[in-house]
């Protein structure tokens, strides 16, 4: 590209205020013009070696340093361009088009920005500096020894920025708007963290500050400059926080403010949220109304959102019992964009109206819904390429793979639930219905579910108490593949174990283990059968193997603890139960076992502490409450023992041990009248045991009610005429009161004592076995010879602690068997 060879001289231009037509000569002396032209050097046409010659030639006349003090130049600046005076004929024209020489010998005419040629002139005797295109970086400063500085770095740092005026209204508005945005973000973050109250407080604070912001902005600017997006986000967040805090009235009011404001675009979508609130309030008619209003305002291009709204409408119709309308909604969804939820709800709707054929068709539609997930073959390495194997290992359990598993599990759940729902009603019997469902599933992409449906069929037989059919159905799997065979054998082992047929249970447990050695349920059931036979060491080995195969098998860990407790290895048993407690924090069975182990280790304080935790989980467990009372009684704390025994009696008033302890407690505290009600209840529970009725009569006698005591003893004598203790108290009472019947009772007493002596002699000699059996019959009838009246002279208090310890089997029996796999 040719360059302009202007050097240090400027091309002359017209004088200020003049305009010269082409060809006119400039005003002034011709000699001065010649002198000026001598300083303009044009590049020679043939000289290509020294293109930049003449740059160092400088004329002081064109010094630009003192342009600020040049009155002619300042006058030209003030009057030129837009403020130039009009052209008149009195001023001679001075414009002449002159060529500019280039480095390549060409000559180009350079004109001004107004289209006139570049000129120079003299006005008022003062020469105006010439203007032209100056080469970058080449100035007269080089003549004075200054360094080359085209970027002006020698001028020093730029002056500091002008400080903001924080007191200005615009700055206050910006700061307030920033604060509102921060509050909205903090509210959303608190909501995501589960702190709903804090989220609501932040949302309210943001709303208050946003209103202040609007008022300030209206005072400074026009209403058109209000930030509508910020207002919308504040109101929407506030309504959402009201909704999650179940403040539905406030949420609806806030949504109404947004929806009614015509300045908010697409606010009609929020009517879906209002419909959801009405649905939670069970105001189904309004929920449907708002869903339909939202559906009308959403364009058809938003297909997915419209499908979701129609699904909500269908669910609402189901809740109102309008199954026909619900069917119309779900049928439309299945025809436009089929999904699992809509298909399942369609089956429920047809089930509600009892349409068998439509149930079958809907089940087939549900089976045909595409899962849109990759096949498992994708995660199998086709070669030995190390890089490919690493990639496959990385994606085997990534978030996308987990989402695929969840989607498949959800599909299987819907299909299994639908099959179990419709199988009993689509055919004449549930077995035929299950067979139809199995055939449909086998012809679909869910082939593996067919075997699970067969197992569910067996479980249905069990619910109907048809044990034989259940066993026959499960035995059909003996010839299937190993996984299905193991599952069926495991369930058969469990069933036989519940029936106490341990030989059969052990046989099927062996079959299950042989079919799948890594099946923890099969190993657990095998351990159960060994445990039932008393071989606790071997049972523990099976439980350990099950735990090695599946560390989450809590049944195996629990049963290991029971095995160690049977083997009296209490420390190891405690370790097992403590590990299990870390997994199952609120398991009542585990808490009880820990307390029981501490009791066996003779640490009552720890046992009481764990029983207290058990009570916090199951506060109405009468056995646990009575156990706490027993431990406090053994520690000598009678008041605490009475509290827990009384609570146990309230929840289960038929426990004889608790009733006996409470009655004895009131006798010890000299409240015999209160003890009567407990012994009367005991006599109702065990009417053949004479001691409870004798205790009632003794309480009456001790409290001074002799007539009531006499009547009670007489009643006991009629029921148990051979009871010696009753006759003794009758003789004593009649003697004290002075009744004539005393001789009759004394005669009977002597006869019974004589018979008792004879029976004792026969028992000692062993000559007559019938005498021994007769004595036992009399004992069972109530002639408790060892009974001593606790209120009589030879008073001997009954045992304070309950006689029967809570057995661990009461909690552990059902855990020894695994749950049925399909459940």
């Amino acid at each position: 590209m040719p360059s302009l060879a202007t050097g240090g001289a400027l091309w002359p231009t017209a004088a200020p205020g003049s305009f010269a037509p082409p060809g006119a000569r400039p005003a002034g002396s011709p000699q001065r013009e010649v002198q000026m032209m001598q300083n303009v050097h044009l590049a020679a046409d043939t000289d290509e070696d020294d293109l930049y010659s003449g740059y160092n030639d400088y004329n002081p006349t064109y010094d630009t340093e003192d342009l600020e003090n040049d009155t002619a130049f300042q006058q030209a600046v003030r009057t030129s361009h837009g403020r130039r005076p009009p052209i008149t004929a009195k001023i001679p024209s001075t414009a002449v088009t002159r060529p500019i020489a280039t480095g390549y010998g060409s000559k180009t005419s350079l004109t001004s920005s107004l289209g006139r040629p570049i000129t120079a002139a003299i006005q008022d005797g003062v020469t105006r500096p010439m203007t032209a295109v100056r080469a970058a970086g080449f100035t007269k400063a080089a003549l004075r020894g200054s360094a080359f500085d085209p970027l002006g770095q020698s001028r020093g740092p730029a002056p500091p920025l002008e400080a903001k005026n924080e007191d200005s209204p615009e700055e206050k508005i910006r700061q307030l708007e920033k604060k509102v945005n921060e509050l909205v973000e903090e509210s959303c973050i608190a909501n995501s963290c589960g702190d709903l109250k804090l989220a609501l407080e932040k949302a309210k604070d943001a709303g208050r500050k946003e209103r202040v912001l609007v008022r300030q902005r209206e005072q400074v600017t026009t209403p058109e400059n209000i930030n509508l997006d910020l207002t919308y986000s504040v109101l929407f967040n506030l309504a959402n926080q009201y909704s999650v805090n179940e403040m539905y009235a406030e949420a609806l009011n806030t949504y109404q403010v947004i929806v009614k404001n015509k300045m908010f675009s697409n606010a009609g979508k929020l009517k879906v949220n209002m419909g959801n609130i009405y649905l939670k309030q069970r105001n189904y008619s309004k929920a449907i109304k708002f869903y339909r209003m939202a559906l009308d305002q959403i364009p058809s291009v938003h297909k997915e959102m419209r499908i979701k709204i129609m699904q909500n409408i269908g669910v609402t119709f189901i809740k109102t019992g309008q199954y026909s309308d619900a069917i119309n909604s779900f049928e439309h969804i299945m025809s436009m964009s089929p999904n699992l939820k809509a298909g399942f709800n369609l089956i429920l709707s047809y089930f509600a109206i009892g349409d068998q054929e439509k149930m079958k068709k809907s089940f087939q539609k549900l089976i045909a819904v595409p899962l849109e997930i990759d096949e498992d073959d994708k995660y199998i390495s086709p070669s030995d390429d190390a890089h490919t194997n690493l990639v496959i290992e990385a994606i085997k359990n990534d978030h996308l793979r987990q989402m695929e598993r969840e989607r498949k599990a959800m599909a299987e759940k819907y299909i299994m639930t639908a099959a179990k729902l419709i199988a009993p009603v689509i055919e004449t019997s549930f077995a035929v219905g299950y067979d139809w469902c199995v055939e449909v599933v086998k012809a679909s992409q869910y082939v593996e579910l067919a075997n699970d449906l067969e197992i569910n069929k067996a479980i249905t037989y069990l619910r109907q108490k048809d044990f034989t059919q259940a066993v026959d159905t499960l035995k059909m799997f003996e010839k299937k593949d190993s996984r299905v065979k193991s599952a069926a054998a495991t369930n058969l082992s469990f069933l036989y174990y519940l029936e106490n047929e341990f030989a059969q249970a052990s046989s099927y447990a062996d079959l299950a283990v042989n079919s799948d050695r890594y099946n923890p349920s099969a190993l657990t059931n095998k351990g159960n059968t060994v445990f039932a036979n008393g071989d606790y060491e071997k049972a523990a080995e099976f439980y350990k193997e099950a735990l090695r195969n599946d560390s989450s098998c809590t049944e195996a860990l629990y049963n290991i603890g029971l095995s160690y407790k049977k083997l009296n290895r209490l420390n190891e048993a405690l370790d097992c139960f403590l590990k299990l407690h870390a997994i199952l924090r609120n398991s009542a069975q585990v808490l009880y076992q820990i307390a029981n182990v501490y009791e066996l280790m003779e640490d009552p304080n720890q046992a009481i502490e764990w029983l207290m935790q058990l009570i916090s989980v199951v506060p109405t467990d009468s056995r646990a409450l009575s156990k706490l009372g027993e431990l406090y009684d053994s520690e000598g704390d009678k008041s605490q023992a009475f509290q827990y025994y009384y609570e146990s009696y309230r929840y289960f008033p038929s426990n004889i041990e608790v009733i006996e302890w409470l009655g004895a407690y009131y006798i010890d505290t000299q409240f015999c009248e209160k003890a009567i009600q407990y012994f009367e209840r005991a006599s109702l529970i065990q009417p053949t045991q004479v001691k409870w009725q004798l205790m009632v009569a003794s309480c009456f006698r001790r409290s001074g009610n002799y007539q009531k005591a006499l009547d009670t003893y007489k009643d006991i004598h009629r029921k148990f005429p051979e009871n010696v203790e009753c006759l003794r108290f009758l003789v004593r009472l009649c003697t004290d009161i002075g009744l004539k019947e005393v001789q009759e009772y004394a005669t009977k007493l002597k006869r019974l004592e004589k018979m008792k002596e004879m029976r004792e002699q026969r028992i000692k000699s062993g000559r007559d076995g019938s005498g021994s059996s007769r004595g036992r019959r009399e004992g069972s009838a109530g002639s408790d010879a060892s009974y001593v009246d606790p209120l009589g002279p030879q008073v001997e208090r009954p045992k304070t602690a309950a006689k029967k310890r809570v057995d661990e089997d009461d909690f552990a029996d059902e855990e020894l068997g695994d749950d049925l796999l399909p459940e």
Side-chain angles (χ1 to χ4, degrees):
M1 177 179 179
S3 60
L4 297 176
T6 57
L10 301 176
W11 192 260
T13 60
S18 66
F19 180 82
R25 293 181 62 82
S29 171
Q31 297 171 353
R32 186 175 182 84
E33 179 180 354
V34 172
Q35 184 182 0
M36 293 170 59
M37 292 300 297
Q38 289 176 354
N39 292 296
V40 177
H41 300 275
L42 301 178
D45 294 341
T46 59
D47 187 8
E48 296 182 0
D49 295 330
D50 190 11
L51 298 178
Y52 297 98
S53 62
Y55 275 112
N56 292 329
D57 296 337
Y58 177 74
N59 192 332
T61 306
Y62 307 115
D63 187 3
T64 59
E65 290 275 334
D66 298 323
L67 288 180
E68 294 181 359
N69 301 324
D70 191 341
T71 56
F73 177 76
Q74 295 298 329
Q75 180 66 20
V77 171
R78 286 193 296 270
T79 60
S80 63
H81 204 65
R83 296 190 296 275
R84 184 174 288 113
I87 302 172
T88 60
K90 295 179 182 180
I91 302 175
S93 300
T94 61
V96 175
T97 303
R98 301 182 186 275
I100 297 176
T102 67
Y104 294 95
S106 63
K107 297 178 180 176
T108 305
S109 296
L110 184 62
T111 59
S112 70
S113 60
L114 297 178
R116 66 185 178 86
I118 303 174
T119 61
I122 299 175
Q123 185 178 359
D124 297 333
V126 180
T127 303
R128 175 190 169 196
M130 291 182 294
T131 60
V133 178
R134 185 177 64 186
F138 295 94
T139 63
K140 65 182 183 305
L143 299 175
R144 302 179 182 178
S146 61
F148 177 75
D149 187 16
L151 300 179
Q153 297 178 358
S154 61
R155 299 174 187 172
L161 297 176
E162 185 178 348
K164 291 183 179 180
N165 186 5
E166 296 183 357
D167 294 333
S168 65
E170 293 80 4
E171 184 63 25
K172 288 182 178 179
I173 288 174
R174 281 195 295 270
Q175 293 296 328
L176 189 56
E177 186 172 338
K178 181 180 178 182
K179 181 62 177 176
V180 171
N181 280 313
E182 290 176 354
L183 286 172
V184 172
E185 290 178 2
E186 291 173 2
S187 175
C188 295
I189 292 172
N191 187 314
S192 64
C193 295
D195 194 347
L196 303 181
K197 291 184 178 179
L198 178 61
L200 180 59
E201 290 300 323
K202 295 287 185 182
K204 288 180 178 179
D205 196 9
R208 288 191 291 267
K209 291 187 181 299
E210 194 273 336
R211 288 191 292 270
V212 174
L213 174 63
V214 170
R215 287 194 294 269
Q216 291 186 6
R217 196 183 291 273
E218 288 176 348
Q219 295 173 1
V220 175
T221 61
T222 58
E224 290 78 9
N225 294 329
I226 295 176
N227 191 345
L228 291 176
D229 292 337
L230 181 61
T231 304
Y232 180 89
S233 62
V234 169
L235 290 174
F236 176 70
N237 179 60
L238 180 60
N240 186 41
Q241 302 306 333
Y242 276 135
S243 178
V244 297
N245 281 277
E246 298 183 357
M247 301 172 67
Y248 298 130
E250 292 83 352
L252 289 172
N253 292 335
T254 309
Y255 279 127
Q256 285 286 1
V257 172
I258 302 175
V259 171
K260 290 183 177 180
N261 194 334
K262 301 300 181 183
M263 300 178 69
F264 295 138
S265 60
N266 298 324
K269 296 179 181 179
L270 296 182
K271 290 182 180 178
V272 178
N273 294 10
M274 300 176 71
N276 291 338
I277 292 176
Y278 282 121
L279 184 64
K280 291 177 182 178
Q281 292 179 331
R282 299 188 177 183
N283 192 344
Y284 301 124
S285 60
K286 279 196 173 183
I288 294 173
K289 174 184 175 182
F290 276 89
Y291 285 143
R292 285 178 169 170
M293 290 169 65
L295 193 64
D296 293 338
Q297 296 185 11
I298 294 175
S300 57
V301 294
H302 297 157
K303 181 180 176 181
E304 186 176 352
M305 181 174 289
R306 291 177 63 86
I307 290 296
K308 289 181 178 180
I309 295 175
M310 292 192 67
Q311 190 159 321
N312 284 4
I313 293 174
V315 171
T316 310
F317 276 131
I318 289 179
K319 289 182 177 293
T320 58
Q322 298 173 260
Y323 300 112
S324 299
D325 295 327
I327 288 170
N328 293 334
S329 297
F330 293 129
E331 286 284 7
H332 177 74
I333 294 172
M334 294 301 289
S335 62
M336 297 295 295
S337 177
N339 62 76
L340 294 169
K341 289 184 180 179
F344 182 74
N345 288 333
L346 183 60
I347 293 174
L348 290 180
S349 302
Y350 281 125
F351 177 81
I353 63 176
D355 194 332
Q356 297 180 356
E357 292 300 321
K358 291 296 180 66
M359 274 189 274
K360 290 183 178 181
K361 292 181 179 179
S362 300
F363 185 75
Q364 291 172 337
K365 290 180 181 179
L366 178 64
I367 291 287
V369 172
L371 281 180
E372 299 178 355
I373 62 176
D374 294 328
E375 298 294 334
D376 292 337
D377 297 340
K378 173 183 176 181
Y379 302 98
I380 300 175
S381 177
S383 63
D384 295 333
D385 184 13
H387 179 72
T388 305
N389 292 337
L390 286 175
V391 173
I392 292 176
E393 286 296 326
I395 66 175
K396 268 185 178 179
N397 200 31
D398 61 355
H399 292 293
L400 180 61
R401 179 60 174 161
Q402 292 175 7
M403 186 187 72
E404 290 177 348
R405 288 199 190 101
E406 291 174 0
R407 185 190 292 267
K408 187 175 181 181
M410 182 180 69
E412 292 177 353
K413 177 184 176 183
Y414 281 135
I415 293 170
M416 291 291 294
T417 306
K420 289 189 288 186
L421 179 68
I422 67 174
V425 296
I426 58 176
E427 297 292 348
T428 55
S429 66
F430 88 93
V432 180
Y434 261 107
D435 292 339
W436 181 88
C437 292
V438 169
E439 293 300 323
V440 173
V441 171
K442 284 181 178 179
S444 69
Q445 55 184 328
Y446 305 98
V447 183
E448 64 274 7
L449 290 181
N451 294 323
D452 294 335
L453 279 174
E454 290 282 1
I455 293 178
N456 270 288
K457 180 181 176 181
I459 294 174
T460 307
Y461 278 125
L462 285 177
R463 291 195 179 111
Q464 295 180 353
K465 302 186 183 303
D466 194 344
F467 182 76
T468 305
Q469 286 288 346
V471 172
D472 293 341
T473 305
L474 290 173
K475 285 182 177 179
M476 293 169 56
F477 292 95
E478 293 182 4
K479 298 181 180 180
K480 296 291 183 70
D481 58 56
S482 59
R483 186 189 69 85
V484 181
K485 184 193 298 184
S486 178
T490 300
N491 289 333
L492 284 169
S493 173
F494 175 74
L495 293 176
Y496 282 120
Y497 182 87
L498 294 180
E499 292 290 323
N500 291 329
E501 297 183 20
F502 299 125
Q504 287 279 52
S506 179
S507 173
Y508 280 104
D510 291 335
L511 178 61
V513 171
N514 294 332
S515 301
D516 185 1
R517 186 70 188 181
Y518 300 99
N519 185 352
S521 300
L523 290 167
T524 302
N525 282 351
K526 179 60 181 175
N528 294 343
T529 59
V530 177
F531 186 98
N533 293 327
D535 192 348
Y536 305 120
E537 285 283 1
K538 191 174 181 181
E541 292 301 322
F542 280 109
Y543 297 141
K544 288 178 182 178
E545 186 176 354
L547 205 58
R548 284 194 295 269
N549 293 337
D550 183 6
S551 59
S552 63
C553 184
T554 54
E555 293 87 355
L557 184 58
Y558 183 89
N559 292 344
I560 291 174
L562 289 182
S563 301
Y564 285 148
K565 196 166 72 167
K566 290 288 187 180
L567 294 169
N568 203 29
R569 293 157 63 177
L570 300 180
N571 288 325
E572 296 176 56
L574 183 61
D575 290 339
C576 292
F577 291 127
L578 289 175
K579 289 178 183 177
L580 195 57
H581 175 65
I583 302 171
L584 308 174
R585 301 296 298 180
N586 295 322
S587 173
Q589 298 173 354
V590 176
L591 291 171
Y592 173 79
Q593 292 297 339
I594 295 173
N596 183 245
V597 171
Y598 275 120
E599 182 186 4
L600 295 176
M601 295 171 69
E602 299 181 355
D603 190 347
N605 293 328
Q606 283 290 338
I608 289 173
E609 181 179 343
W610 285 97
L611 283 173
M612 293 295 289
Q613 293 187 38
L614 174 60
I615 295 301
S616 66
V617 176
V618 281
T620 60
D621 192 325
S622 63
R623 185 66 65 86
L625 290 167
S626 64
K627 191 66 181 178
L628 264 175
E630 178 184 342
L631 289 173
Y632 275 117
D633 187 29
S634 64
E635 292 291 302
D637 192 343
K638 300 295 182 182
S639 60
Q640 285 287 349
F642 170 75
Q643 176 185 348
Y644 288 108
Y645 270 123
Y646 183 75
E647 287 294 314
S648 175
Y649 174 78
R650 278 201 318 118
Y651 290 117
F652 185 59
S654 299
N655 190 328
I656 290 295
E657 290 81 5
V658 174
I659 292 173
E660 181 180 5
W661 192 95
L662 289 172
Y665 173 80
Y666 279 118
I667 290 174
D668 285 349
T669 54
Q670 305 298 322
F671 290 102
C672 301
E673 297 86 354
K674 292 185 177 181
I676 292 174
Q677 61 173 330
Y678 295 103
F679 293 129
E680 286 179 343
R681 179 171 290 275
S683 65
L684 291 175
I685 297 171
Q686 295 180 345
T688 59
Q689 295 291 327
V690 68
K691 66 176 181 178
W692 306 122
Q693 300 182 43
L694 290 174
M695 292 293 291
V696 173
S698 298
C699 290
F700 280 126
R701 185 169 59 85
R702 183 61 181 264
S703 61
N705 193 345
Y706 297 108
Q707 186 59 45
K708 190 69 175 177
L710 181 61
D711 295 339
T712 304
Y713 280 126
K714 288 181 179 180
D715 185 60
I716 295 171
H717 179 65
R718 283 194 298 272
K719 294 177 181 178
F720 305 97
E722 296 183 357
N723 186 273
V724 177
E725 296 297 329
C726 179
L727 285 173
R728 285 176 182 170
F729 284 110
L730 277 173
V731 171
R732 184 182 302 175
L733 276 175
C734 291
T735 303
D736 295 340
I737 298 174
L739 296 178
K740 298 179 181 178
E741 302 170 0
V742 60
Q743 190 62 35
E744 177 185 355
Y745 293 130
T747 304
K748 290 181 179 180
L749 177 61
K750 289 180 181 179
R751 181 167 51 85
L752 286 175
E753 287 177 345
K754 204 175 282 188
M755 292 174 60
K756 182 180 178 181
E757 290 177 1
M758 293 173 62
R759 283 196 299 270
E760 289 176 354
Q761 289 178 1
R762 292 194 198 99
I763 292 171
K764 290 179 181 179
S765 61
R767 291 190 298 254
D768 192 353
S770 61
S772 174
S773 62
R774 181 183 176 186
R776 284 196 299 272
R777 285 197 302 272
E778 288 179 355
S780 64
S783 59
D784 190 2
S786 62
Y787 172 76
V788 179
D789 182 11
L791 303 179
Q794 308 107 2
V795 62
E796 185 174 303
R797 188 176 170 279
K799 296 180 180 179
T800 57
K803 296 179 181 178
K804 181 182 178 183
R805 180 179 58 83
V806 181
D807 191 7
E808 63 271 13
D809 291 336
D810 294 332
F811 288 90
D813 282 346
E814 60 187 24
E815 283 298 324
L816 287 174
D818 252 350
D819 292 337
L820 292 177
L821 295 180
E823 287 289 355

